[in-house]
Amino acid sequence: MTMDDTLGYEPGRLPVARQAFERRHPEFDTGAVAALRAAEYGRLDALDQVYLDYTGGGLHAESQIEAHAALLRSQVLGNPHSNNPTSLAMTELVEGARRRVGEFLGADPDEYLVVFTPNASGALRLVGESYRFAPGGRFALTFDNHNSVNGIREFARRKGASVTYVPVVAPELRLDRAAMTAELGAADPSAYNLLAFPAQSNYSGVQHPLDLVDEAHDHGWDVLVDAAAFAPTNRFDASVINPDFASFSFYKMFGFPTGIGCLLIRRARRSALERPWFAGGTITIASVQGDGHYLHDDEAGFEDGTVDYLNIPAVATGIDHIERVGIDTIHDRVLALTDWLLEALVGLRHSTGRPVVTVLGPTDVADRGGTITFVMHDADGRPIDDRRVEELANRVNISLRTGCFCNPGAGEVAHGLHADDMRPFFGRSTPVSFLDLRERMLADHDTLVAGIRISVGVASNFTDVFRLLCFLQGFVDRTVDDIGRVEFVSDNCRIVRDSA
Protein backbone atom coordinates (compact mmCIF):
# COMPACT_ATOMS: atom_id res chain seq x y z
CA MET A 1 0.00 0.00 0.00
CA THR A 2 1.51 3.33 -1.05
CA MET A 3 0.90 6.64 0.64
CA ASP A 4 -1.44 7.59 -2.18
CA ASP A 5 -3.42 4.40 -1.62
CA THR A 6 -4.08 5.36 1.99
CA LEU A 7 -5.67 8.69 1.09
CA GLY A 8 -9.34 9.09 0.39
CA TYR A 9 -11.30 6.03 1.44
CA GLU A 10 -14.40 6.85 -0.54
CA PRO A 11 -16.70 4.83 -2.81
CA GLY A 12 -15.17 5.96 -6.10
CA ARG A 13 -11.75 4.63 -5.10
CA LEU A 14 -12.92 1.08 -4.43
CA PRO A 15 -11.95 -0.43 -7.85
CA VAL A 16 -8.46 1.07 -7.73
CA ALA A 17 -7.96 0.07 -4.11
CA ARG A 18 -9.12 -3.47 -4.80
CA GLN A 19 -6.75 -3.83 -7.74
CA ALA A 20 -3.84 -2.65 -5.59
CA PHE A 21 -4.85 -5.09 -2.86
CA GLU A 22 -5.03 -8.02 -5.28
CA ARG A 23 -1.60 -7.17 -6.72
CA ARG A 24 -0.16 -7.21 -3.24
CA HIS A 25 -2.01 -10.38 -2.25
CA PRO A 26 -2.23 -12.67 -5.27
CA GLU A 27 -3.02 -15.53 -2.88
CA PHE A 28 -6.39 -13.89 -2.15
CA ASP A 29 -8.81 -16.07 -4.12
CA THR A 30 -11.33 -13.83 -5.91
CA GLY A 31 -12.80 -16.62 -8.03
CA ALA A 32 -14.15 -19.70 -6.31
CA VAL A 33 -14.50 -18.11 -2.89
CA ALA A 34 -16.17 -15.04 -4.39
CA ALA A 35 -18.70 -17.36 -6.01
CA LEU A 36 -19.11 -19.08 -2.64
CA ARG A 37 -20.03 -15.77 -1.03
CA ALA A 38 -22.72 -15.14 -3.62
CA ALA A 39 -24.11 -18.66 -3.34
CA GLU A 40 -23.79 -19.30 0.40
CA TYR A 41 -23.72 -15.87 2.04
CA GLY A 42 -25.68 -13.80 -0.47
CA ARG A 43 -27.83 -12.38 2.32
CA LEU A 44 -24.90 -10.16 3.30
CA ASP A 45 -25.07 -8.23 0.03
CA ALA A 46 -28.82 -8.54 -0.39
CA LEU A 47 -29.29 -6.86 3.00
CA ASP A 48 -26.36 -4.45 2.53
CA GLN A 49 -24.55 -5.75 5.61
CA VAL A 50 -20.87 -5.47 6.51
CA TYR A 51 -20.20 -8.22 9.03
CA LEU A 52 -16.97 -7.75 10.98
CA ASP A 53 -17.68 -9.76 14.12
CA TYR A 54 -16.46 -13.25 13.25
CA THR A 55 -14.65 -13.60 16.58
CA GLY A 56 -18.02 -13.05 18.22
CA GLY A 57 -19.70 -15.62 16.00
CA GLY A 58 -19.30 -17.16 12.58
CA LEU A 59 -21.89 -17.04 9.80
CA HIS A 60 -23.64 -20.14 8.54
CA ALA A 61 -23.76 -21.04 4.88
CA GLU A 62 -27.15 -21.54 3.26
CA SER A 63 -26.26 -25.11 2.31
CA GLN A 64 -25.67 -26.00 5.96
CA ILE A 65 -29.23 -25.07 6.86
CA GLU A 66 -30.67 -26.79 3.80
CA ALA A 67 -28.79 -30.02 4.50
CA HIS A 68 -29.80 -30.06 8.16
CA ALA A 69 -33.42 -29.30 7.39
CA ALA A 70 -33.44 -32.11 4.81
CA LEU A 71 -32.08 -34.52 7.43
CA LEU A 72 -34.79 -33.57 9.94
CA ARG A 73 -37.53 -33.81 7.31
CA SER A 74 -36.44 -37.21 6.07
CA GLN A 75 -35.86 -39.16 9.29
CA VAL A 76 -37.58 -40.01 12.55
CA LEU A 77 -35.01 -39.46 15.29
CA GLY A 78 -35.32 -40.04 19.02
CA ASN A 79 -33.36 -39.58 22.23
CA PRO A 80 -30.20 -41.67 21.74
CA HIS A 81 -30.25 -43.16 25.25
CA SER A 82 -32.13 -46.28 24.16
CA ASN A 83 -32.07 -49.17 21.69
CA ASN A 84 -35.28 -48.54 19.79
CA PRO A 85 -35.07 -47.81 16.03
CA THR A 86 -35.27 -44.01 16.33
CA SER A 87 -32.73 -43.94 19.16
CA LEU A 88 -30.31 -46.19 17.30
CA ALA A 89 -30.58 -44.00 14.20
CA MET A 90 -29.84 -40.94 16.28
CA THR A 91 -26.95 -42.61 18.08
CA GLU A 92 -25.37 -43.42 14.73
CA LEU A 93 -25.61 -39.76 13.67
CA VAL A 94 -24.21 -38.46 16.97
CA GLU A 95 -21.29 -40.87 16.95
CA GLY A 96 -20.65 -40.14 13.27
CA ALA A 97 -20.44 -36.44 14.08
CA ARG A 98 -18.08 -37.22 16.96
CA ARG A 99 -15.78 -39.11 14.62
CA ARG A 100 -15.97 -36.25 12.10
CA VAL A 101 -14.93 -33.72 14.74
CA GLY A 102 -11.99 -35.87 15.78
CA GLU A 103 -10.82 -36.23 12.19
CA PHE A 104 -11.11 -32.48 11.55
CA LEU A 105 -9.17 -31.59 14.70
CA GLY A 106 -6.48 -34.24 14.24
CA ALA A 107 -7.63 -36.06 17.37
CA ASP A 108 -6.99 -39.78 16.95
CA PRO A 109 -9.77 -41.68 18.78
CA ASP A 110 -7.13 -43.87 20.37
CA GLU A 111 -5.52 -40.75 21.82
CA TYR A 112 -8.40 -38.36 22.53
CA LEU A 113 -11.95 -38.27 23.79
CA VAL A 114 -14.25 -35.86 21.93
CA VAL A 115 -16.81 -34.61 24.44
CA PHE A 116 -19.79 -32.58 23.24
CA THR A 117 -20.51 -29.52 25.38
CA PRO A 118 -22.85 -26.50 25.12
CA ASN A 119 -19.92 -24.30 23.96
CA ALA A 120 -16.27 -23.61 24.72
CA SER A 121 -17.22 -22.17 28.12
CA GLY A 122 -18.97 -25.44 28.99
CA ALA A 123 -15.86 -27.33 27.97
CA LEU A 124 -13.69 -25.12 30.15
CA ARG A 125 -16.01 -25.54 33.12
CA LEU A 126 -15.71 -29.32 32.81
CA VAL A 127 -11.94 -29.04 33.14
CA GLY A 128 -12.10 -26.49 35.94
CA GLU A 129 -14.52 -28.40 38.14
CA SER A 130 -12.91 -31.80 37.51
CA TYR A 131 -9.16 -31.12 37.50
CA ARG A 132 -7.38 -32.54 40.55
CA PHE A 133 -6.13 -29.23 41.93
CA ALA A 134 -4.62 -29.64 45.39
CA PRO A 135 -2.22 -27.94 47.80
CA GLY A 136 1.26 -27.97 46.29
CA GLY A 137 -0.13 -27.86 42.77
CA ARG A 138 -0.33 -24.83 40.51
CA PHE A 139 -2.68 -23.21 38.03
CA ALA A 140 -0.92 -20.86 35.61
CA LEU A 141 -2.64 -18.85 32.92
CA THR A 142 -1.77 -15.98 30.64
CA PHE A 143 -3.13 -12.49 31.28
CA ASP A 144 -5.11 -12.53 28.03
CA ASN A 145 -7.41 -15.45 28.73
CA HIS A 146 -11.16 -15.21 28.23
CA ASN A 147 -13.19 -15.00 31.44
CA SER A 148 -14.33 -18.57 30.94
CA VAL A 149 -10.71 -19.58 31.52
CA ASN A 150 -10.17 -16.98 34.25
CA GLY A 151 -13.05 -18.53 36.16
CA ILE A 152 -11.12 -21.79 36.59
CA ARG A 153 -8.97 -19.99 39.16
CA GLU A 154 -11.91 -20.19 41.59
CA PHE A 155 -11.89 -24.01 41.44
CA ALA A 156 -8.09 -24.03 41.86
CA ARG A 157 -8.13 -21.73 44.89
CA ARG A 158 -10.90 -23.64 46.62
CA LYS A 159 -8.87 -26.82 46.32
CA GLY A 160 -5.72 -25.16 47.67
CA ALA A 161 -3.66 -24.79 44.49
CA SER A 162 -1.67 -21.61 43.84
CA VAL A 163 -2.74 -19.36 40.97
CA THR A 164 -0.28 -17.38 38.85
CA TYR A 165 -0.94 -15.05 35.93
CA VAL A 166 1.84 -14.88 33.35
CA PRO A 167 1.95 -11.39 31.78
CA VAL A 168 1.57 -10.25 28.23
CA VAL A 169 3.56 -7.16 27.30
CA ALA A 170 2.27 -3.94 25.71
CA PRO A 171 2.01 -2.67 23.07
CA GLU A 172 1.81 -5.92 21.09
CA LEU A 173 0.31 -7.88 24.00
CA ARG A 174 2.55 -10.87 23.35
CA LEU A 175 3.51 -13.37 26.00
CA ASP A 176 6.45 -12.69 28.31
CA ARG A 177 8.14 -15.97 27.43
CA ALA A 178 10.85 -15.64 30.07
CA ALA A 179 8.22 -15.23 32.78
CA MET A 180 6.37 -18.25 31.43
CA THR A 181 9.51 -20.39 31.44
CA ALA A 182 10.23 -19.34 35.03
CA GLU A 183 6.71 -20.25 36.12
CA LEU A 184 6.80 -23.63 34.43
CA GLY A 185 10.14 -24.40 36.04
CA ALA A 186 8.89 -23.50 39.52
CA ALA A 187 6.31 -26.29 39.71
CA ASP A 188 6.58 -29.55 41.60
CA PRO A 189 6.32 -32.10 38.77
CA SER A 190 4.86 -34.69 41.14
CA ALA A 191 1.83 -32.43 41.82
CA TYR A 192 -1.13 -31.65 39.59
CA ASN A 193 -0.21 -28.52 37.64
CA LEU A 194 -2.37 -26.99 34.91
CA LEU A 195 -1.38 -24.35 32.36
CA ALA A 196 -4.11 -22.60 30.36
CA PHE A 197 -3.68 -20.22 27.45
CA PRO A 198 -5.53 -19.21 24.27
CA ALA A 199 -4.13 -20.40 20.96
CA GLN A 200 -5.32 -17.00 19.74
CA SER A 201 -6.35 -14.09 21.92
CA ASN A 202 -9.94 -13.01 21.34
CA TYR A 203 -8.79 -9.47 22.28
CA SER A 204 -5.57 -8.78 20.40
CA GLY A 205 -5.50 -11.55 17.81
CA VAL A 206 -2.07 -12.63 19.11
CA GLN A 207 -1.34 -16.28 18.46
CA HIS A 208 0.75 -17.66 21.29
CA PRO A 209 3.53 -20.14 20.48
CA LEU A 210 2.05 -23.63 20.55
CA ASP A 211 5.41 -25.11 21.49
CA LEU A 212 4.44 -23.98 25.01
CA VAL A 213 2.60 -27.29 25.23
CA ASP A 214 5.80 -29.32 24.89
CA GLU A 215 7.72 -27.02 27.22
CA ALA A 216 5.04 -27.36 29.86
CA HIS A 217 4.95 -31.13 29.49
CA ASP A 218 8.72 -31.24 30.00
CA HIS A 219 8.21 -29.58 33.40
CA GLY A 220 5.37 -31.86 34.51
CA TRP A 221 2.36 -29.70 33.61
CA ASP A 222 -0.95 -30.56 32.00
CA VAL A 223 -2.01 -28.07 29.33
CA LEU A 224 -5.41 -26.65 28.46
CA VAL A 225 -5.55 -24.82 25.11
CA ASP A 226 -8.54 -22.57 24.48
CA ALA A 227 -8.93 -22.81 20.71
CA ALA A 228 -12.27 -20.97 20.40
CA ALA A 229 -10.82 -17.92 18.59
CA PHE A 230 -8.12 -19.88 16.75
CA ALA A 231 -9.98 -22.76 15.11
CA PRO A 232 -12.32 -20.75 12.82
CA THR A 233 -9.48 -19.55 10.57
CA ASN A 234 -6.51 -21.79 11.42
CA ARG A 235 -5.79 -25.50 11.22
CA PHE A 236 -5.86 -27.10 14.66
CA ASP A 237 -4.08 -30.44 14.66
CA ALA A 238 -4.12 -32.17 18.03
CA SER A 239 -1.63 -34.76 16.81
CA VAL A 240 0.93 -31.96 16.37
CA ILE A 241 -0.01 -29.63 19.24
CA ASN A 242 -0.59 -32.49 21.73
CA PRO A 243 -2.72 -30.63 24.29
CA ASP A 244 -4.11 -32.49 27.27
CA PHE A 245 -7.37 -30.55 26.96
CA ALA A 246 -8.68 -28.20 24.26
CA SER A 247 -11.94 -26.25 24.01
CA PHE A 248 -13.96 -25.24 20.95
CA SER A 249 -17.25 -23.54 20.02
CA PHE A 250 -18.67 -24.69 16.69
CA TYR A 251 -20.78 -21.57 16.10
CA LYS A 252 -17.57 -19.58 15.98
CA MET A 253 -16.23 -21.92 13.31
CA PHE A 254 -19.22 -22.15 10.97
CA GLY A 255 -22.17 -20.28 12.47
CA PHE A 256 -24.60 -23.14 13.07
CA PRO A 257 -25.45 -24.86 15.35
CA THR A 258 -25.06 -22.28 18.12
CA GLY A 259 -25.49 -24.49 21.20
CA ILE A 260 -22.70 -27.04 20.76
CA GLY A 261 -18.97 -27.03 21.46
CA CYS A 262 -16.51 -29.72 22.38
CA LEU A 263 -13.73 -30.61 24.75
CA LEU A 264 -10.80 -32.74 23.67
CA ILE A 265 -9.39 -34.85 26.50
CA ARG A 266 -6.15 -36.75 26.00
CA ARG A 267 -6.87 -40.29 27.15
CA ALA A 268 -3.50 -40.51 28.88
CA ARG A 269 -4.56 -37.60 31.14
CA ARG A 270 -8.18 -38.65 31.69
CA SER A 271 -7.15 -39.59 35.25
CA ALA A 272 -6.30 -35.93 35.99
CA LEU A 273 -10.04 -35.21 35.92
CA GLU A 274 -12.36 -36.30 38.74
CA ARG A 275 -15.96 -35.27 38.20
CA PRO A 276 -17.60 -33.73 41.29
CA TRP A 277 -21.04 -35.17 40.50
CA PHE A 278 -22.93 -37.46 38.16
CA ALA A 279 -26.01 -37.02 36.02
CA GLY A 280 -28.25 -38.93 33.69
CA GLY A 281 -26.26 -40.53 30.91
CA THR A 282 -22.90 -40.23 32.69
CA ILE A 283 -23.02 -43.43 34.75
CA THR A 284 -23.05 -47.17 34.13
CA ILE A 285 -25.18 -47.70 37.26
CA ALA A 286 -26.22 -45.69 40.30
CA SER A 287 -28.18 -46.68 43.39
CA VAL A 288 -30.23 -44.85 45.97
CA GLN A 289 -30.12 -47.61 48.59
CA GLY A 290 -26.67 -48.83 47.64
CA ASP A 291 -25.47 -45.21 47.78
CA GLY A 292 -23.00 -45.51 44.90
CA HIS A 293 -22.39 -44.90 41.23
CA TYR A 294 -19.91 -45.70 38.47
CA LEU A 295 -19.06 -43.09 35.83
CA HIS A 296 -18.52 -44.07 32.23
CA ASP A 297 -14.82 -43.88 31.36
CA ASP A 298 -15.43 -42.46 27.88
CA GLU A 299 -17.14 -39.33 26.53
CA ALA A 300 -20.45 -40.27 28.13
CA GLY A 301 -18.92 -39.70 31.56
CA PHE A 302 -18.68 -35.97 30.75
CA GLU A 303 -21.88 -35.42 28.77
CA ASP A 304 -24.46 -34.55 31.42
CA GLY A 305 -27.98 -35.60 30.62
CA THR A 306 -29.15 -35.72 27.03
CA VAL A 307 -26.90 -34.09 24.45
CA ASP A 308 -28.35 -31.68 21.88
CA TYR A 309 -28.86 -34.66 19.62
CA LEU A 310 -30.96 -33.13 16.85
CA ASN A 311 -28.38 -30.39 16.26
CA ILE A 312 -25.20 -32.45 16.63
CA PRO A 313 -25.41 -33.78 13.04
CA ALA A 314 -25.22 -30.15 11.87
CA VAL A 315 -21.68 -30.04 13.28
CA ALA A 316 -20.57 -32.63 10.72
CA THR A 317 -22.34 -30.62 8.01
CA GLY A 318 -20.51 -27.47 9.08
CA ILE A 319 -17.16 -29.25 9.00
CA ASP A 320 -17.95 -30.54 5.51
CA HIS A 321 -18.61 -26.96 4.41
CA ILE A 322 -15.34 -25.65 5.88
CA GLU A 323 -13.41 -28.46 4.23
CA ARG A 324 -14.97 -27.70 0.84
CA VAL A 325 -13.79 -24.10 1.15
CA GLY A 326 -10.47 -25.20 2.67
CA ILE A 327 -9.23 -24.08 6.08
CA ASP A 328 -5.92 -23.03 4.53
CA THR A 329 -7.75 -20.92 1.95
CA ILE A 330 -9.75 -19.27 4.72
CA HIS A 331 -6.54 -18.65 6.66
CA ASP A 332 -4.80 -17.04 3.68
CA ARG A 333 -7.74 -14.78 2.88
CA VAL A 334 -8.12 -13.68 6.49
CA LEU A 335 -4.42 -12.92 6.77
CA ALA A 336 -4.45 -10.86 3.56
CA LEU A 337 -7.43 -8.78 4.70
CA THR A 338 -5.89 -8.34 8.15
CA ASP A 339 -2.63 -7.13 6.62
CA TRP A 340 -4.47 -4.50 4.60
CA LEU A 341 -6.61 -3.46 7.56
CA LEU A 342 -3.67 -3.01 9.92
CA GLU A 343 -1.76 -0.81 7.52
CA ALA A 344 -4.86 1.23 6.69
CA LEU A 345 -5.84 1.71 10.34
CA VAL A 346 -2.35 2.75 11.44
CA GLY A 347 -2.09 5.14 8.49
CA LEU A 348 -5.35 6.96 9.24
CA ARG A 349 -4.34 10.40 10.56
CA HIS A 350 -5.81 13.75 11.43
CA SER A 351 -4.36 16.71 9.51
CA THR A 352 -2.27 17.47 12.61
CA GLY A 353 -0.54 14.10 12.20
CA ARG A 354 -2.23 12.63 15.25
CA PRO A 355 -3.43 9.06 14.74
CA VAL A 356 -7.15 8.45 14.51
CA VAL A 357 -6.69 4.81 15.52
CA THR A 358 -4.39 3.08 17.98
CA VAL A 359 -4.24 -0.68 17.55
CA LEU A 360 -4.13 -2.64 20.80
CA GLY A 361 -1.92 -5.51 19.73
CA PRO A 362 0.43 -6.31 16.86
CA THR A 363 0.38 -4.01 13.84
CA ASP A 364 1.70 -6.67 11.46
CA VAL A 365 0.50 -10.17 10.63
CA ALA A 366 3.34 -12.14 12.20
CA ASP A 367 1.88 -14.69 14.64
CA ARG A 368 -1.54 -13.11 14.77
CA GLY A 369 -5.03 -13.82 13.49
CA GLY A 370 -7.84 -11.79 11.97
CA THR A 371 -9.00 -10.12 15.20
CA ILE A 372 -8.09 -6.43 15.62
CA THR A 373 -8.93 -4.31 18.66
CA PHE A 374 -8.34 -0.58 18.64
CA VAL A 375 -9.27 2.72 20.25
CA MET A 376 -9.93 6.04 18.54
CA HIS A 377 -9.04 9.66 19.34
CA ASP A 378 -10.43 12.87 17.95
CA ALA A 379 -8.52 15.73 16.35
CA ASP A 380 -7.71 17.13 19.80
CA GLY A 381 -6.40 13.80 21.08
CA ARG A 382 -9.45 13.08 23.23
CA PRO A 383 -10.76 9.48 23.38
CA ILE A 384 -13.81 8.77 21.26
CA ASP A 385 -16.46 6.74 23.08
CA ASP A 386 -16.55 3.25 21.60
CA ARG A 387 -20.31 3.11 22.14
CA ARG A 388 -20.77 6.15 19.93
CA VAL A 389 -18.65 4.53 17.23
CA GLU A 390 -20.80 1.41 17.39
CA GLU A 391 -23.99 3.46 17.31
CA LEU A 392 -22.84 5.25 14.17
CA ALA A 393 -21.62 2.03 12.57
CA ASN A 394 -25.02 0.49 13.19
CA ARG A 395 -26.65 3.20 11.11
CA VAL A 396 -24.62 2.20 8.06
CA ASN A 397 -25.05 -1.55 8.58
CA ILE A 398 -21.54 -2.27 9.86
CA SER A 399 -21.44 -4.93 12.59
CA LEU A 400 -18.44 -4.52 14.88
CA ARG A 401 -18.10 -5.16 18.60
CA THR A 402 -17.21 -2.84 21.47
CA GLY A 403 -16.47 -3.23 25.17
CA CYS A 404 -13.98 -5.45 27.00
CA PHE A 405 -14.68 -8.74 25.13
CA CYS A 406 -14.71 -10.81 28.36
CA ASN A 407 -10.92 -10.43 28.47
CA PRO A 408 -10.05 -8.13 31.38
CA GLY A 409 -6.36 -9.04 31.57
CA ALA A 410 -5.55 -8.05 28.00
CA GLY A 411 -7.56 -4.85 28.40
CA GLU A 412 -5.81 -3.88 31.62
CA VAL A 413 -2.38 -4.29 30.02
CA ALA A 414 -3.44 -2.53 26.82
CA HIS A 415 -4.76 0.47 28.75
CA GLY A 416 -1.80 0.63 31.14
CA LEU A 417 -3.74 -0.32 34.26
CA HIS A 418 -2.10 -1.97 37.26
CA ALA A 419 -3.19 -3.87 40.35
CA ASP A 420 -3.39 -0.66 42.41
CA ASP A 421 -5.81 0.77 39.83
CA MET A 422 -8.09 -2.28 39.89
CA ARG A 423 -8.12 -3.50 43.50
CA PRO A 424 -10.30 -0.65 44.84
CA PHE A 425 -13.18 -1.89 42.67
CA PHE A 426 -13.37 -5.24 44.47
CA GLY A 427 -14.33 -6.41 47.93
CA ARG A 428 -17.28 -4.01 48.06
CA SER A 429 -20.68 -4.83 49.49
CA THR A 430 -22.37 -4.16 46.14
CA PRO A 431 -21.09 -5.24 42.72
CA VAL A 432 -19.46 -2.72 40.39
CA SER A 433 -20.77 -2.66 36.83
CA PHE A 434 -18.60 -2.25 33.77
CA LEU A 435 -20.30 1.11 33.21
CA ASP A 436 -19.26 2.21 36.72
CA LEU A 437 -15.70 1.08 36.02
CA ARG A 438 -15.39 2.86 32.69
CA GLU A 439 -16.83 6.12 34.06
CA ARG A 440 -14.43 6.10 37.03
CA MET A 441 -11.44 5.35 34.81
CA LEU A 442 -12.40 8.11 32.40
CA ALA A 443 -12.70 10.57 35.26
CA ASP A 444 -9.47 9.52 37.02
CA HIS A 445 -7.21 8.62 34.09
CA ASP A 446 -8.85 10.16 30.99
CA THR A 447 -8.90 6.60 29.65
CA LEU A 448 -11.76 4.66 28.16
CA VAL A 449 -11.18 1.11 29.36
CA ALA A 450 -12.91 -0.37 26.36
CA GLY A 451 -12.10 -1.02 22.74
CA ILE A 452 -13.53 -1.47 19.28
CA ARG A 453 -13.05 -4.94 17.82
CA ILE A 454 -13.28 -6.01 14.21
CA SER A 455 -12.67 -9.49 12.88
CA VAL A 456 -12.78 -11.10 9.46
CA GLY A 457 -13.69 -14.64 8.49
CA VAL A 458 -14.79 -17.13 5.89
CA ALA A 459 -17.17 -14.82 3.98
CA SER A 460 -15.22 -11.55 4.29
CA ASN A 461 -14.14 -9.75 1.13
CA PHE A 462 -12.19 -6.62 0.28
CA THR A 463 -15.29 -4.47 -0.04
CA ASP A 464 -16.14 -5.20 3.60
CA VAL A 465 -12.86 -3.85 4.91
CA PHE A 466 -12.78 -0.94 2.47
CA ARG A 467 -16.26 0.06 3.54
CA LEU A 468 -15.11 0.08 7.16
CA LEU A 469 -12.30 2.49 6.25
CA CYS A 470 -14.78 4.72 4.43
CA PHE A 471 -16.70 4.88 7.69
CA LEU A 472 -13.66 5.52 9.88
CA GLN A 473 -12.33 8.23 7.59
CA GLY A 474 -15.39 10.23 8.55
CA PHE A 475 -13.80 10.72 11.97
CA VAL A 476 -10.73 12.47 10.55
CA ASP A 477 -10.36 16.05 11.83
CA ARG A 478 -13.56 15.76 13.86
CA THR A 479 -13.82 16.50 17.56
CA VAL A 480 -15.77 14.59 20.15
CA ASP A 481 -18.36 17.37 20.04
CA ASP A 482 -18.72 17.00 16.26
CA ILE A 483 -19.00 13.25 16.48
CA GLY A 484 -21.78 13.51 19.02
CA ARG A 485 -24.10 15.27 16.57
CA VAL A 486 -26.66 13.21 14.73
CA GLU A 487 -25.81 14.83 11.40
CA PHE A 488 -22.30 13.39 11.68
CA VAL A 489 -23.55 10.20 9.95
CA SER A 490 -23.10 10.35 6.21
CA ASP A 491 -23.67 8.02 3.28
CA ASN A 492 -19.95 7.85 2.58
CA CYS A 493 -19.69 4.14 3.36
CA ARG A 494 -22.84 3.06 1.54
CA ILE A 495 -21.19 1.77 -1.59
CA VAL A 496 -22.02 -0.73 -4.26
CA ARG A 497 -21.21 -4.22 -2.99
CA ASP A 498 -19.18 -6.75 -4.93
CA SER A 499 -18.57 -10.44 -4.43
CA ALA A 500 -14.77 -10.43 -4.23
Side-chain angles (χ1 to χ4, degrees):
M1 187 184 301
T2 66
M3 178 60 72
D4 185 58
D5 290 326
T6 67
L7 301 175
Y9 296 104
E10 54 191 36
R13 292 181 60 85
L14 172 61
V16 172
R18 183 168 54 234
Q19 289 171 6
F21 169 78
E22 291 172 1
R23 285 194 302 271
R24 178 167 175 169
H25 294 285
E27 76 280 10
F28 190 82
D29 179 4
T30 57
V33 178
L36 175 91
R37 169 151 169 156
E40 296 280 22
Y41 304 94
R43 61 193 184 277
L44 285 168
D45 299 317
L47 298 175
D48 190 35
Q49 294 286 330
V50 174
Y51 187 77
L52 296 172
D53 192 24
Y54 286 88
T55 300
L59 295 180
H60 63 266
E62 289 185 23
S63 63
Q64 290 174 246
I65 307 305
E66 292 165 356
H68 191 57
L71 172 70
L72 297 181
R73 284 195 299 263
S74 65
Q75 297 198 39
V76 180
L77 301 169
N79 187 323
H81 289 165
S82 187
N83 289 313
N84 64 59
T86 56
S87 293
L88 290 174
M90 192 68 252
T91 297
E92 183 177 345
L93 288 168
V94 168
E95 294 310 311
R98 196 187 307 278
R99 289 190 297 272
R100 195 75 181 88
V101 170
E103 292 167 358
F104 183 70
L105 298 177
D108 186 324
D110 291 333
E111 298 290 331
Y112 283 95
L113 300 176
V114 177
V115 178
F116 287 121
T117 65
N119 44 39
S121 294
L124 294 163
R125 179 186 57 77
L126 278 176
V127 176
E129 70 180 12
S130 302
Y131 192 76
R132 294 177 182 269
F133 292 116
R138 304 172 82 96
F139 177 46
L141 62 168
T142 57
F143 259 63
D144 61 343
N145 272 292
H146 189 279
N147 270 336
S148 295
V149 178
N150 289 327
I152 295 174
R153 72 190 187 194
E154 304 305 311
F155 292 114
R157 284 172 175 160
R158 285 172 187 161
K159 293 180 179 179
S162 66
V163 176
T164 302
Y165 276 96
V166 181
V168 296
V169 181
E172 292 204 338
L173 305 182
R174 296 193 186 277
L175 177 68
D176 184 335
R177 189 63 184 260
M180 175 62 80
T181 296
E183 171 61 18
L184 295 177
D188 175 0
S190 68
Y192 283 99
N193 307 297
L194 181 64
L195 167 67
F197 70 93
Q200 177 177 310
S201 169
N202 77 313
Y203 188 100
S204 65
V206 164
Q207 293 179 345
H208 293 305
L210 294 175
D211 63 1
L212 278 174
V213 176
D214 288 339
E215 182 182 357
H217 284 163
D218 289 342
H219 289 284
W221 292 70
D222 294 313
V223 183
L224 166 60
V225 177
D226 178 12
F230 180 87
T233 60
N234 300 273
R235 186 177 298 280
F236 187 97
D237 188 340
S239 69
V240 174
I241 301 168
N242 201 31
D244 300 291
F245 317 105
S247 56
F248 304 83
S249 279
F250 293 120
Y251 75 91
K252 290 183 183 290
M253 295 166 68
F254 35 76
F256 178 84
T258 56
I260 305 174
C262 85
L263 172 66
L264 297 185
I265 301 174
R266 192 156 63 94
R267 289 181 183 272
R269 296 306 297 156
R270 163 69 179 81
S271 61
L273 303 180
E274 182 180 32
R275 297 221 61 195
W277 82 314
F278 66 94
T282 64
I283 46 88
T284 60
I285 62 168
S287 173
V288 173
Q289 297 184 84
D291 191 25
H293 71 277
Y294 294 103
L295 282 167
H296 283 289
D297 62 1
D298 59 5
E299 289 93 348
F302 293 91
E303 293 174 349
D304 297 333
T306 302
V307 295
D308 188 3
Y309 58 87
L310 284 181
N311 276 326
I312 283 176
V315 172
T317 303
I319 289 173
D320 290 344
H321 171 68
I322 294 299
E323 289 200 328
R324 281 193 298 272
V325 181
I327 190 65
D328 295 327
T329 297
I330 295 169
H331 172 83
D332 291 346
R333 285 176 63 88
V334 163
L335 212 61
L337 292 172
T338 303
D339 180 58
W340 187 89
L341 273 168
L342 287 167
E343 190 163 350
L345 291 170
V346 171
L348 203 60
R349 302 269 169 173
H350 297 290
S351 59
T352 60
R354 283 179 168 151
V356 178
V357 168
T358 300
V359 173
L360 304 179
T363 55
D364 59 41
V365 293
D367 299 320
R368 66 122 66 234
T371 302
I372 302 172
T373 294
F374 58 92
V375 293
M376 298 179 65
H377 290 84
D378 74 359
D380 297 327
R382 292 179 293 175
I384 299 172
D385 194 311
D386 58 289
R387 295 168 299 178
R388 180 59 174 160
V389 176
E390 184 174 28
E391 177 186 85
L392 296 173
N394 291 348
R395 297 182 185 182
V396 291
N397 292 342
I398 296 176
S399 292
L400 44 77
R401 189 167 291 260
T402 62
C404 65
F405 321 120
C406 294
N407 197 320
E412 288 164 17
V413 175
H415 295 296
L417 302 175
H418 304 284
D420 290 344
D421 300 312
M422 300 307 302
R423 285 199 186 101
F425 291 96
F426 298 94
R428 301 184 181 190
S429 58
T430 56
V432 176
S433 71
F434 184 63
L435 181 59
D436 295 333
L437 173 66
R438 62 181 290 150
E439 288 180 348
R440 187 73 264 155
M441 288 296 180
L442 184 60
D444 292 350
H445 302 285
D446 197 29
T447 298
L448 280 170
V449 290
I452 302 159
R453 190 181 74 186
I454 56 174
S455 48
V456 290
V458 60
S460 300
N461 65 14
F462 181 74
T463 303
D464 291 333
V465 297
F466 189 82
R467 186 168 173 178
L468 173 72
L469 264 295
C470 289
F471 167 70
L472 294 179
Q473 183 166 280
F475 291 84
V476 172
D477 288 337
R478 303 296 185 107
T479 67
V480 167
D481 294 333
D482 297 332
I483 294 163
R485 293 201 296 265
V486 174
E487 61 267 29
F488 168 71
V489 180
S490 72
D491 288 331
N492 189 45
C493 60
R494 290 192 181 278
I495 61 181
V496 177
R497 303 304 305 265
D498 78 328
S499 58

